[in-house]
Amino acid sequence: MPPTPTVCTAKASWKKLSGTLTLTDTHLQWTQDAKPAPSVRVAYAEAASLFCSKQDAPQVKLKLALVNDDSSHFFIFTASPRDVALAERERFKTELTTIIGRNKNAAALAARTPILPLPQTASAPVFNASTPRPLVPSIIKPAPSRAASVSSSETRATPTITGDDPARDFRLRKTVLLSNPELGALHRELVIGGQITEAEFWEGREHLVLAQAAAESQRKGKPGQLVDPRPETVEGGEIKIRITPQLVHDIFDEYPVVATAYSDNVPNKLSEEQFWKRYFQSKLFNAHRASIRSSAAQHVVKADPIFDKYLEKDDDELEPRRQRPELADLFINLGATREDHDDTGNEKDITMQAGRQRGALPLIRKFNEHSERLLNSALGDNPPSKRRRLEDDDAMLDYDDLHDPEASNGIILEMQDRQRYFEGRMGNQVEHGHQSLDLATIVGGLQDSIRPWDTDLAQFRVERKPSEAALLAMTENVRARLDVQSRNNDIPDGLFTQMTTCQTAANEFLRQFWAATYPSVSDQTLSIATPAQRATKAAKMAGYLAKTHEKVAAIVATSHAQGVDSHKIQTAMQPVLTAVDRALTFHRTRKKARA
C-alpha cells in the first residue's frame, strides 16, 4: 500500500501524552511516540468546528469538535521555541478552517437538494441529508476480494446490538475501539483490510458494547459526604471560602433553615454576597459544622441579629427532636430481636447507654439524618406505599446472584470408538468389584504405622545436601530470570509490530473458527445462522488460517535479513502455529468424516 500523502505535521500532546499530529489528504490523526498505529483518527467529514487558545496563553492549544458527537479533541503543540509551535498551530488552523468550511457548504447543499431514488446497484452509493458527501475527490478502486460469505445477508449493515438506534450503536462501537487501541488496530487490520465483515468482528464481543452502554447510562447518585465547606488560606493570609452553585444547592438541601433564611432576606435586606459572608461568620454556620470542634468556635463568633433568629436548641436530649416512624420491616429493624435476650440468658449491654455523652448526640443524629436522606434519594421520589415490598419474608433471603441465569449442557465431546471406551471402564469396575477388602487388616496396619510416631519424630534429621541443592536451584532460577530481564531487546520495533499483528490476526481467525464450529449455548439460542452457514464460515476461517505459515515464514526471512536471530522469532511464533495446525487438522478430519 503506498504511503498516504502528508499535508502538515507537528509535535503535539494529547491527554498528557507526547506524540505527533499529522494532517493527511483524508484524515487528521495523532500517533503516540513509539506506537505504530494512530490513537486518534478523524476523517475530514467529521470536523465540525475549531477553537484555538490566545496568542499570549501559556500553552499553544487547538480544539477540534466533531459532527454529531459531543466529544472533542484537545491538542497542545509542544515544539520549542514557542514561535515554532505557534507557526505550526497556524498551519493546522488554516487547513482545518478550509475543511470545516467545505463541510458546512456540503451539508447546506445536501439539505436543499431533494433525494432522488436511484437504482440499487452494488457500486453506486446512496447519499442523503444526514450523510455528507466525500470532500476530497478520490478514484474509486475495486474492493479487495473476499472469500465466500456465510450467507447473502453478510453484506447488510452491522446488526443492532443494544437497541434500535444504529447511530448510537455505531458511536458505542467507536468508543470501544478508541478506548482499546489493540482492538482498534485489529479492527483496522481485518475489517478495513477487507478480510472479515463488521458483523463477524463484533460477533462474540457484544458484551463490550453492552458494558459501554451501561457505563454511559449510569446515573450518578448523591454524594455521601456531609456538606462542610472548608476555608482556604490565600495569598496575604486572607481566609476565603469558594462558593459554587453546587455548594449552594447542597447547603439548601442539607440545611433547609438556610434556604428559609435566604428567601426571607435576599435581596430585600441583604445582597447575595453579604448573605453568604455573614452566614459563614455566624453561629448558625458553626452549628452546622460536621465536627464537635464547632462548639469551641461558638464562643468566639460574634452575634448576628439576622441569623441568630434561625438558631435551634441543640438536639441533645435522650429522645430525638424529630421522631422516626416505626419500622414495620423486621429485616432492617435492629431492635426486633430485643425479646430474645431473656430467652437466651444474655445480659444487657450496659456500656452502650444513649446520652452518656450529650455533646456527641447532635453530631450522631446529624449523621443519621444525612444517611436517611441518602437512602431516600436512592429509593426515588415515589411514596413508601408504591415502593417495592415483599409479602414473603423468605423471598428477601433469596438472592438472584445465587441462581445460575442460564444452564449450560456443555459441548458434546467427539471421540473415536466411544463405545469401546465405556466398555473398558465398565470392565475395570467389574474387576475391582470382585476384590474384597479386609477392613480389620487396613485398620490394624494404620494403627501400627501411627504408634511409633514420637520415636520417628525424635529420630528425624534434615539432610544438609538436599537442602543446599534446593537453595542453589532456586538461586540459579532467580539469577536466570534477572539475566533475561536485564538483557536488551534485540528485536526491532518494526519487526515486533509485524509479529504482533500476525499473532492477533491469527487469534481472531481462530476465535471465529472455533465459534462457528462449537457455538456456545447462548449463540445457538440467539443466532439465526444455520448449521450450513456456520460450516461455510468455519471453512472461510480455515482458508485464512492456512496462510499463517506463509506470514510467519516471511517474518522469519525479514528477521534474517535484518541480522536478528531467526530461531528466536520461530520460537516466539511457534504457539500460534501449533494452534493453527491443530485447527486445520481438525477441520480436515471433520470434512473427511462428513464426506
Side-chain angles (χ1 to χ4, degrees):
M1 179 182 296
T4 306
T6 301
V7 179
C8 54
T9 181
K11 299 294 292 183
S13 63
W14 177 72
K15 293 184 177 181
K16 298 182 179 180
L17 299 175
S18 60
T20 304
L21 184 65
T22 305
L23 182 66
T24 66
D25 59 350
T26 57
H27 290 79
L28 174 69
Q29 60 188 23
W30 178 88
T31 306
Q32 186 180 354
D33 293 341
K35 295 289 184 180
S39 302
V40 178
R41 186 176 173 87
V42 181
Y44 277 9
E46 298 179 6
S49 58
L50 187 67
F51 304 92
C52 297
S53 60
K54 297 181 180 179
Q55 293 288 338
D56 55 349
Q59 295 178 332
V60 183
K61 296 182 180 181
L62 184 143
K63 175 184 176 182
L64 179 65
L66 306 180
V67 177
N68 298 328
D69 196 345
D70 297 336
S71 61
S72 56
H73 297 295
F74 285 90
F75 301 101
I76 301 177
F77 291 82
T78 59
S80 182
R82 177 185 174 84
D83 296 338
V84 178
L86 288 172
E88 293 175 347
R89 199 265 307 271
E90 289 300 322
R91 176 75 184 280
F92 277 88
K93 178 181 176 181
T94 303
E95 297 292 339
L96 291 175
T97 302
T98 305
I99 295 170
I100 293 172
R102 291 204 300 259
N103 288 350
K104 294 181 179 179
N105 295 335
L109 180 61
R112 295 192 301 266
T113 304
I115 302 174
L116 300 178
L118 296 177
Q120 297 295 329
T121 59
S123 60
V126 180
F127 299 96
N128 52 31
S130 62
T131 305
R133 296 177 180 270
L135 300 177
V136 180
S138 58
I139 302 175
I140 300 179
K141 299 180 180 180
S145 60
R146 298 187 181 184
S149 180
V150 175
S151 65
S152 59
S153 62
E154 290 289 350
T155 58
R156 69 184 188 279
T158 306
T160 302
I161 295 177
T162 60
D164 53 357
D165 189 358
R168 180 171 179 267
D169 295 337
F170 173 76
R171 183 179 57 80
L172 290 173
R173 292 194 296 269
K174 179 181 177 182
T175 305
V176 172
L177 294 177
L178 291 177
S179 60
N180 192 340
E182 296 181 356
L183 188 63
L186 183 63
H187 184 271
R188 287 190 295 271
E189 175 72 19
L190 300 181
V191 179
I192 300 180
Q195 301 187 42
I196 61 176
T197 63
E198 185 82 8
E200 290 176 345
F201 180 82
W202 290 105
E203 184 179 352
R205 294 188 173 94
E206 295 86 352
H207 62 283
L208 299 177
V209 183
L210 293 175
Q212 181 65 28
E216 293 183 0
S217 62
Q218 187 175 10
R219 183 173 61 91
K220 187 178 181 180
K222 185 178 180 181
Q225 185 179 6
L226 272 173
V227 180
D228 191 13
R230 302 297 178 90
E232 300 177 359
T233 303
V234 297
E235 296 180 358
E238 188 177 354
I239 298 177
K240 291 185 178 181
I241 296 179
R242 300 184 183 274
I243 302 176
T244 61
Q246 183 63 37
L247 178 61
V248 174
H249 178 271
D250 294 340
I251 292 176
F252 288 166
D253 186 35
E254 191 77 26
Y255 309 110
V257 65
V258 181
T260 304
Y262 183 88
S263 60
D264 294 343
N265 298 281
V266 178
N268 298 327
K269 299 179 181 179
L270 298 173
S271 64
E272 186 170 0
E273 181 180 356
Q274 293 174 345
F275 175 85
W276 290 113
K277 186 175 181 179
R278 295 179 63 169
Y279 167 71
F280 289 121
Q281 295 176 351
S282 65
K283 295 181 180 180
L284 183 63
F285 168 68
N286 286 276
H288 293 162
R289 300 292 297 275
S291 175
I292 303 180
R293 67 180 183 274
S294 60
S295 60
Q298 291 181 0
H299 300 288
V300 297
V301 175
K302 298 180 180 180
D304 192 298
I306 294 180
F307 288 98
D308 289 352
K309 297 186 299 182
Y310 301 95
L311 282 173
E312 298 178 346
K313 185 178 178 298
D314 290 340
D315 189 8
D316 55 358
E317 300 295 335
L318 292 180
E319 293 296 330
R321 183 184 301 130
R322 189 175 67 90
Q323 295 292 334
R324 298 187 61 199
E326 293 293 332
L327 297 175
D329 195 344
L330 300 180
F331 284 92
I332 57 177
N333 187 2
L334 300 181
T337 59
R338 184 178 302 170
E339 66 275 6
D340 298 339
H341 293 298
D342 297 335
D343 297 338
T344 58
N346 294 335
E347 296 181 358
K348 293 184 178 180
D349 189 357
I350 60 175
T351 60
M352 298 290 291
Q353 294 182 2
R356 169 175 286 187
Q357 188 179 358
R358 298 187 60 179
L361 284 178
L363 185 61
I364 294 175
R365 287 166 182 167
K366 184 185 299 183
F367 288 154
N368 292 339
E369 293 175 1
H370 177 72
S371 302
E372 185 179 359
R373 278 192 292 268
L374 287 178
L375 293 176
N376 291 333
S377 64
L379 292 175
D381 299 332
N382 296 329
S385 59
K386 292 186 179 181
R387 291 173 181 171
R388 181 174 178 264
R389 298 184 62 183
L390 296 175
E391 300 296 338
D392 188 6
D393 293 340
D394 294 336
M396 299 187 68
L397 302 178
D398 189 10
Y399 295 98
D400 295 336
D401 295 341
L402 300 179
H403 297 279
D404 188 7
E406 53 183 21
S408 176
N409 296 326
I411 300 175
I412 300 177
L413 179 62
E414 294 187 1
M415 53 186 303
Q416 298 178 354
D417 299 333
R418 184 185 306 174
Q419 189 66 24
R420 292 179 57 187
Y421 172 76
F422 288 106
E423 289 178 355
R425 290 182 60 88
M426 292 177 62
N428 294 335
Q429 293 178 1
V430 172
E431 293 178 0
H432 289 294
H434 290 299
Q435 297 178 1
S436 60
L437 300 177
D438 189 359
L439 297 179
T441 305
I442 296 176
V443 174
L446 181 61
Q447 292 178 350
D448 294 339
S449 62
I450 292 177
R451 282 194 187 102
W453 68 270
D454 52 350
T455 306
D456 295 341
L457 184 61
Q459 298 176 356
F460 178 74
R461 295 289 184 274
V462 178
E463 295 293 337
R464 183 176 180 179
K465 291 184 178 181
S467 302
E468 292 180 351
L471 182 60
L472 289 176
M474 289 187 293
T475 306
E476 290 296 332
N477 191 353
V478 173
R479 184 182 296 122
R481 292 184 181 183
L482 293 176
D483 291 342
V484 172
Q485 293 179 0
S486 61
R487 226 176 267 163
N488 294 329
N489 187 11
D490 56 350
I491 300 179
D493 293 339
L495 185 61
F496 185 75
T497 302
Q498 295 180 17
M499 295 172 59
T500 306
T501 303
C502 180
Q503 183 180 16
T504 53
N507 288 336
E508 177 64 19
F509 294 146
L510 287 170
R511 187 184 73 86
Q512 297 280 350
F513 173 80
W514 291 115
T517 305
Y518 290 124
S520 61
V521 177
S522 59
D523 293 342
Q524 294 179 3
T525 305
L526 301 177
S527 179
I528 60 176
T530 62
Q533 292 174 343
R534 289 198 297 266
T536 305
K537 181 180 178 180
K540 174 183 175 182
M541 295 300 128
Y544 289 138
L545 291 172
K547 301 177 182 178
T548 306
H549 284 273
E550 299 179 4
K551 297 179 181 179
V552 173
I555 295 175
V556 172
T558 304
S559 65
H560 184 72
Q562 296 181 2
V564 181
D565 187 6
S566 59
H567 179 70
K568 182 184 296 185
I569 307 298
Q570 187 71 28
T571 303
M573 301 300 295
Q574 187 59 41
V576 177
L577 296 177
T578 303
V580 169
D581 292 339
R582 185 168 299 176
L584 294 176
T585 304
F586 175 82
H587 177 69
R588 287 191 293 266
T589 304
R590 193 174 190 183
K591 188 176 180 181
K592 291 180 181 178
R594 290 184 176 180

